[in-house]
Amino acid sequence: MKLGVMMRDLLQVEDEAWGLYAFSRDILNRRILPETKTEMIAKATACGKAYAQRIIREYGTRDVRVIADKLKLKLEFQSALMTGKRVLFACYTPPYTIEIMEEPVRRAAELVQEEEPALVELFQQAGIMNTILGHEIFHFVEDQFAHEIYTRTEKILLWNLLGFKNYSTIRTLSEVGAMAFTQELNRLSYAPFILDVLLYYSYDAASAEKIYRDVLGVSSGRCREPVEDY
Amino acid sequence: MDVANVVIGFIMVLSFFGLVWYCVKGYNLMVGFFVMSVLWTSIALIGNSIHPTSVMEGKTFIDVLTNVFQTGPENYGKAILVNIFFGAFFGRVLIDTGIAATLIRKVVELGGDKPRITMSLLCIVTAVIFTSMTGIGPVISIAVIVLPIMLSLGIPSPIALFSFMGSIMAGIFGNIVNFKQYQAIFATANESYASYDYNTYFKFGMIAMAVSLIVVLVVSNLSMNKKVSRAWAATPDAGTTVDAPAISWISIILPVIGVVVFKLPIIFGFIVAGLFALLTCGKLKGGFASVCRMLSKQFADGAIDVAPMIGFLLTLSMFNNAATYASPYFKTLLDGAMPQTALLLCIVFAILTPLGFFRGPMNLVGSGSAILAVVVATAAWPVQFLYPLFAITTVAPQHLDVTQSWVAWGFGYTKVPAKEYMKMSIPTGWIIGIILCAIVFFMYGNLV
């Protein structure tokens, strides 16, 4: 399938569907009821946007590079890292390191230019880089406000044995929040989750198409995950 | 001390270092061990013509060749290849039925988004799984489930790879197929050692498994940052596989239970456990012909999983037998230096555990069979004492080692530099060696 067709379809996908797609990759996916997921996605999205506004107010800018500088974040650029079928785009390592993989970004920008010039405006190399940086800055912000930020305070009960309970945070909520944060910061007209398909495409078009179909499946409500009876 | 024997001993030591270099360079082990078998047999034959040795007494040139290149592989095949094939079949069943994957998903859901806890649970279940499973195929099948989970939890890839490989190593301490493999080497070195069985070893095997798992987890946790990283990554795998029923999960440990509790022969144990897994997972449906096809395919897939290992094991068995002819020359060099008491032998093994890495002289599936022949020749060590010592210096270093096929695969999969991995694996192997050698002394030292 052509990249342009996929991107145009994905640009129509709503935040909730992207959130459900992110949940489908979460280790705790089957432990959360669908209606709870929807509620969590809405809250995590609102949380990401609210913290973006807070950061813009505090630092007086939307420029992610300036913000990263003011937060004393150390930016490192690597080539690429593919573990099996998992392609890494960026990584935040506490306390101050953000690594961004340049190769997938460069390849994606080149691909858009070659195959779908109409979308170049939306997916320029610098723009993608800023989107990714904004996403990783959110994880730093989360660490600073870990005790109060929704994406870290929302927990689910995994098990209860004789009164001894194990609660867990949900990693997907951090990702949903980070996407909303960078979308707000960079004034993007699309959900940054779309980069999962775009950046993956240059490495493995067939697998990128699988992600695309998963997203559309979730979006149309076809893929309902089994939820554990607990 | 005969000068000719000393010279031959030195040549053998040099060739041995050549083998270590060869292993480290990552060349083909099957060919390497065959060349070594030819070399040591030739040198031993030349040495015998200069100064006859007791190990070749009454043997013709053809007898020696037959022993190394015919009897060696034949005996090895009889003793272990069948177990390996059935073990691999059972491993394939656990993968195909989704039992192994289900267990992994379940423990991940118990641990949740807590990297240290979830990593520990994953390591425990991996170790348990590998008390029965064997071969690079099952390792890869489990690795492609476990490693992405660890990475998605923010565990750095060197630590994820190390903890996973370390937990396999822990499981191998209790693995019945590996036991049979090393026991066959012991039986070659001394026929009276053939009576040593898994049940006698079991208690130590379980202790060794627990100790090595704890050491691996401690090293992994100490190597990890206080706060784990957050990654933006994409994967096409949604992980929506259906769970295997809870009753089927017990299949993982059925072969070991069968052997230890019911004294079943291991091949029968693998067959029963495999059929139980298939039955409880509803895979024995669709008619007789279809079930036969499936069983046949699983056996064939299992055989493919272990196929690369078989050629190597067969040439290793040639090398084992060649090593018995080399032992008089090593004895000449080491005469007087070999420990004679249980305590000293345990101390020497503890200190020399790192020599089990790179298929070194303490490693039975490396060049350690020559040392075994020497140790056996120096004193009448009880097998209950000697086997665990060699198991330690073989299992711990070998299954953490860069020459292990699945570790080498892991480097390619995770892109972890070997150096970073070895910073954790070598000290871990050594620590495990020291602790377990001390345990062997306290458990079995009184038998000496």
Side-chain angles (χ1 to χ4, degrees):
Chain A
M1 181 175 267
K2 281 208 147 198
L3 179 67
V5 177
M6 289 201 284
M7 297 311 283
R8 265 184 253 283
D9 286 344
L10 292 174
L11 284 169
Q12 311 301 318
V13 173
E14 292 185 359
D15 285 351
E16 187 187 309
W18 282 116
L20 291 172
Y21 149 74
F23 262 113
S24 74
R25 267 68 179 159
D26 196 293
I27 56 170
L28 299 174
N29 181 35
R30 301 183 313 164
R31 302 300 302 262
I32 308 165
L33 295 166
E35 49 271 31
T36 314
K37 281 182 202 167
T38 310
E39 199 181 310
M40 285 174 167
I41 291 165
K43 283 183 183 171
T45 306
C47 165
K49 286 182 179 169
Y51 272 87
Q53 288 302 333
R54 184 170 170 171
I55 291 292
I56 293 165
R57 272 199 309 277
E58 270 182 40
Y59 295 99
T61 179
R62 285 176 177 273
D63 188 326
V64 285
R65 290 191 183 251
V66 174
I67 293 169
D69 199 40
K70 287 188 174 178
L71 292 173
K72 296 188 172 60
L73 287 167
K74 200 170 88 185
L75 233 66
E76 288 174 7
F77 295 95
Q78 308 284 343
S79 175
L81 185 56
M82 194 166 179
T83 307
K85 292 230 156 198
R86 180 180 185 266
V87 179
L88 181 69
F89 304 141
C91 181
Y92 162 65
T93 306
Y96 295 110
T97 309
I98 289 176
E99 285 173 276
I100 297 180
M101 306 297 141
E102 279 182 307
E103 190 188 84
V105 178
R106 195 191 64 244
R107 284 165 77 158
E110 285 169 2
L111 204 67
V112 171
Q113 203 148 28
E114 283 166 23
E115 293 197 13
E116 206 54 44
L119 294 176
V120 165
E121 199 66 24
L122 290 177
F123 302 108
Q124 284 178 347
Q125 190 167 333
I128 298 173
M129 210 59 118
N130 286 345
T131 305
I132 293 175
L133 180 56
H135 177 108
E136 298 308 321
I137 289 173
F138 179 75
H139 292 314
F140 171 81
V141 171
E142 270 187 306
D143 269 359
Q144 309 310 304
F145 299 98
H147 57 287
E148 62 178 55
I149 193 164
Y150 171 76
T151 52
R152 293 283 177 93
T153 52
E154 177 69 66
K155 289 179 180 172
I156 59 163
L157 178 65
L158 294 179
W159 46 266
N160 179 356
L161 184 70
L162 305 171
F164 185 69
K165 294 173 182 171
N166 183 22
Y167 289 93
S168 173
T169 51
I170 304 149
R171 206 155 268 254
T172 291
L173 296 183
S174 281
E175 296 310 307
V176 171
M179 293 300 184
F181 179 87
T182 194
Q183 187 177 5
E184 183 76 10
L185 218 54
N186 289 293
R187 287 190 169 130
L188 300 176
S189 58
Y190 55 85
F193 272 117
I194 200 170
L195 295 180
D196 276 15
V197 178
L198 177 61
L199 270 59
Y200 205 107
Y201 192 87
S202 66
Y203 288 91
D204 180 355
S207 294
E209 194 180 324
K210 185 174 180 306
I211 300 175
Y212 159 80
R213 294 200 183 282
D214 282 354
V215 176
L216 290 195
V218 171
S219 178
S220 65
R222 280 199 312 272
C223 297
R224 286 288 170 213
E225 305 286 342
V227 176
E228 298 217 327
D229 187 16
Y230 58 93
Chain B
M1 196 185 283
D2 189 283
V3 178
N5 282 6
V6 173
V7 172
I8 289 171
F10 270 115
I11 293 170
M12 284 180 165
V13 169
L14 279 179
S15 67
F16 166 74
F17 281 113
L19 177 68
V20 172
W21 171 85
Y22 181 92
C23 293
V24 174
K25 293 297 275 185
Y27 294 130
N28 185 283
L29 292 175
M30 183 182 78
V31 174
F33 277 90
F34 176 75
V35 171
M36 279 298 282
S37 311
V38 173
L39 192 65
W40 279 22
T41 308
S42 311
I43 296 171
L45 280 166
I46 295 167
N48 189 59
S49 65
I50 301 168
H51 190 288
T53 56
S54 57
V55 285
M56 285 199 187
E57 202 178 329
K59 286 184 181 170
T60 63
F61 173 72
I62 296 298
D63 288 342
V64 172
L65 290 188
T66 306
N67 186 36
V68 174
F69 299 103
Q70 188 72 29
T71 315
E74 272 177 5
N75 285 347
Y76 215 63
K78 193 170 64 187
I80 62 142
L81 289 188
V82 181
N83 294 325
I84 287 181
F85 278 122
F86 279 92
F89 158 73
F90 177 65
R92 207 18 75 186
V93 169
L94 291 184
I95 299 295
D96 290 352
T97 51
I99 293 172
T102 303
L103 278 173
I104 290 162
R105 279 199 300 272
K106 289 291 168 190
V107 297
V108 168
E109 286 172 6
L110 282 181
D113 188 15
K114 289 173 182 151
R116 287 173 198 274
I117 293 174
T118 304
M119 180 183 73
S120 304
L121 291 172
L122 279 171
C123 287
I124 292 169
V125 81
T126 301
V128 172
I129 285 171
F130 282 95
T131 55
S132 294
M133 295 220 294
T134 191
I136 189 170
V139 170
I140 293 173
S141 303
I142 300 294
V144 296
I145 304 170
V146 170
L147 291 175
I149 292 173
M150 287 201 198
L151 296 178
S152 74
L153 287 171
I155 298 167
S157 47
I159 297 169
L161 180 69
F162 165 74
S163 61
F164 177 69
M165 296 302 172
S167 51
I168 294 175
M169 176 271 294
I172 298 289
F173 267 112
N175 191 296
I176 199 157
V177 172
N178 284 73
F179 171 83
K180 290 270 182 188
Q181 191 182 329
Y182 311 143
Q183 195 250 8
I185 298 171
F186 260 68
T188 310
N190 185 330
E191 279 177 18
S192 68
Y193 289 171
S195 60
Y196 185 61
D197 62 11
Y198 182 75
N199 285 29
T200 316
Y201 166 78
F202 183 72
K203 190 174 164 192
F204 175 76
M206 291 299 113
I207 291 171
M209 179 175 155
V211 167
S212 38
L213 193 55
I214 290 167
V215 175
V216 166
L217 288 176
V218 168
V219 172
S220 302
N221 276 285
L222 290 176
S223 310
M224 229 193 289
N225 264 351
K226 203 174 171 192
K227 284 183 174 177
V228 291
S229 59
R230 302 255 156 186
W232 181 356
T235 170
D237 304 319
T240 49
T241 325
V242 178
D243 281 345
I247 182 85
S248 66
W249 303 350
I250 197 175
S251 324
I252 294 271
I253 51 166
L254 268 189
V256 173
I257 291 176
V259 170
V260 174
V261 181
F262 301 107
K263 317 283 185 226
L264 293 178
I266 181 57
I267 293 177
F268 184 70
F270 278 135
I271 293 172
V272 169
L275 289 176
F276 177 80
L278 291 167
L279 182 71
T280 49
C281 290
K283 302 279 182 190
L284 294 181
K285 290 176 186 164
F288 182 73
S290 152
V291 170
C292 289
R293 261 200 311 278
M294 178 190 67
L295 290 173
S296 177
K297 185 179 181 306
Q298 275 159 344
F299 196 87
D301 288 348
I304 292 166
D305 287 339
V306 291
M309 196 164 73
I310 301 300
F312 160 66
L313 288 177
L314 291 175
T315 57
L316 178 66
S317 68
M318 294 175 193
F319 179 71
N320 288 338
N321 280 19
T324 57
Y325 295 124
S327 61
Y329 306 102
F330 281 104
K331 203 177 170 191
T332 305
L333 289 183
L334 299 172
D335 212 19
M338 283 303 295
Q340 301 292 324
T341 65
L343 179 63
L344 270 180
L345 195 67
C346 288
I347 291 172
V348 167
F349 268 69
I351 292 169
L352 299 183
T353 300
L355 294 182
F357 284 95
F358 307 112
R359 310 262 170 189
M362 300 302 284
N363 186 335
L364 287 176
V365 282
S367 37
S369 43
I371 297 293
L372 173 65
V374 175
V375 173
V376 169
T378 54
W381 303 104
V383 66
Q384 296 89 333
F385 168 74
L386 195 58
Y387 181 91
L389 282 180
F390 270 101
I392 294 164
T393 57
T394 299
V395 175
Q398 179 53 46
H399 297 93
L400 288 171
D401 194 29
V402 294
T403 65
Q404 181 66 33
S405 57
W406 54 71
V407 175
W409 170 86
F411 290 141
Y413 182 77
T414 57
K415 314 287 184 302
V416 169
K419 207 190 242 176
E420 251 184 87
Y421 171 85
M422 282 156 66
K423 274 183 203 163
M424 289 179 276
S425 67
I426 294 179
T428 302
W430 202 350
I431 292 166
I432 291 169
I434 292 168
I435 296 171
L436 291 181
C437 285
I439 291 173
V440 168
F441 176 73
F442 288 112
M443 282 177 80
Y444 306 112
N446 59 335
L447 298 175
V448 178

